[in-house]
């Protein structure tokens, strides 16, 4: 119902993906993150770079904080051409493009350098383009860090410590399979309900990156944060093809160049945010646990095996990434 209401409001207000003012094409970009988030800062860099590279011919108007709806709702707005650009998790895009599923495989990447070597190389660029048949064209990847476990009452030091614990996960099959493989009980739950769910014991914990752990205030009620770094699912800046196809070749080059510049800047913003978030968590008394990640990697191998059985056509892509 909210989605229909948004469309009606947008029609009434004249808000569309692009309009022209004084010779400038203005693109609308919506996302659900707060303005303090490093991804929003990366988007501001995109806005600045695009204005500069286009000589003011292309401009971006940003709607943060979920002003135009949830991640899924904004994706739908891109598909029909009501919004030009958004930021979503690769996990969300996997519902449209199976290749994005690969990026969520536990311990797929050896480290951050390996991850972005893959994402910014031919493999990553190829995946970005595969969403076009669903009217969603990827522009670049943003660093969303590595997801790790945090719990309210029981510390997780080895996979065995997850047994019997209800762990909130995104409504994504890869995430569900991973937590279950490690011995926990995966519990999909809306992110907005998670603070109360942890506080009241509906779930025992969750998993996310440090900036999200702190910005959500979950560090206020979770005593333990285990940096097992089980998955490194990037965010993706995407443009609806209904808008992309209207751009000239020169305009497309400006957009891609601005996206690449914003991606580089966003990595630095992310690193700064991680350091700040970890310090806040420590100051709050959260115990930061550095486990033996090889134990978690070994225990989660069955997730990759199940994935390759379900998507045999993507097994070669996994091997290419691991070999790079």
């Amino acid at each position: 119902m909210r989605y229909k209401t948004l469309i009606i409001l947008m029609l009434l207000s004249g808000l569309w993906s692009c309009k022209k003012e004084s010779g400038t094409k203005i693109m609308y970009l919506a996302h659900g993150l707060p303005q303090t988030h490093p991804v929003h800062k990366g988007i501001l860099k995109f806005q600045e770079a695009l204005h500069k590279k286009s000589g003011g011919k292309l401009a971006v108007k940003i709607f943060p904080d979920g002003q135009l709806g949830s991640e899924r709702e904004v994706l739908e707005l891109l598909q029909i051409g009501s919004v030009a650009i958004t930021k979503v998790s690769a996990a969300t895009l996997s519902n449209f493009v199976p290749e994005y599923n690969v990026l969520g495989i536990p311990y797929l990447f050896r480290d951050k350098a390996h991850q972005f070597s893959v994402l910014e190389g031919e493999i990553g660029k190829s995946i970005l383009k595969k969403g076009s048949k669903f009217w969603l064209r990827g522009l670049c990847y943003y660093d969303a860090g590595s997801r790790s476990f945090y719990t309210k009452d029981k510390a997780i030091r080895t996979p065995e410590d997850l047994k019997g614990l209800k762990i909130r996960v995104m409504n994504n099959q890869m995430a569900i399979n991973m937590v279950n493989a490690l011995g926990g009980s995966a519990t999909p739950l809306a992110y907005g309900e998670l603070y109360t769910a942890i506080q009241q014991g509906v779930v025992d914990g969750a998993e996310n990156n440090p900036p999200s752990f702190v910005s959500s205030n979950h560090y206020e009620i979770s005593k333990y944060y285990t940096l097992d770094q089980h998955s490194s699912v990037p965010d993706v800046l995407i443009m609806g093809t209904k808008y992309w196809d209207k751009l000239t070749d020169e305009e497309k080059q400006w957009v891609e160049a601005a996206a690449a510049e914003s991606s580089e800047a966003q990595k630095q913003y992310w690193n700064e945010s991680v350091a700040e978030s970890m310090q806040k968590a420590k100051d709050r008394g959260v115990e930061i646990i550095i486990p033996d990640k090889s134990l978690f990697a070994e225990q989660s191998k069955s997730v990759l095996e199940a994935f390759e059985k379900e998507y045999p056509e993507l097994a070669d892509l996994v091997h290419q990434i691991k070999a790079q």
Side-chain angles (χ1 to χ4, degrees), residues 6 43 46 60 86 136 141 145 154 185 190 270 284 289 304:
L6 278 169
I43 287 171
F46 172 71
V60 177
T86 191
L136 302 169
Y141 297 95
K154 179 183 178 182
S185 177
W270 185 267
R284 188 74 182 200
I289 300 164
L304 173 57

Side-chain angles (χ1 to χ4, degrees), residues 17 21 26 31 70 86 158 163 181 191 194 269 280 312 317 323:
S17 62
E21 292 181 358
I26 301 177
H31 68 83
S70 68
T86 191
T158 68
K163 290 180 179 177
Y191 193 60
L194 184 50
Y269 301 144
K280 283 186 178 180
L317 177 59

Side-chain angles (χ1 to χ4, degrees), residues 16 19 24 32 42 56 59 61 101 122 128 170 283 287 299 321:
W16 287 97
K19 63 180 180 179
T24 298
K61 183 173 177 58
N101 263 310
E122 291 306 312
L128 288 177
M170 296 181 291
D283 291 345
E287 181 181 350
Q299 187 76 17
I321 291 173

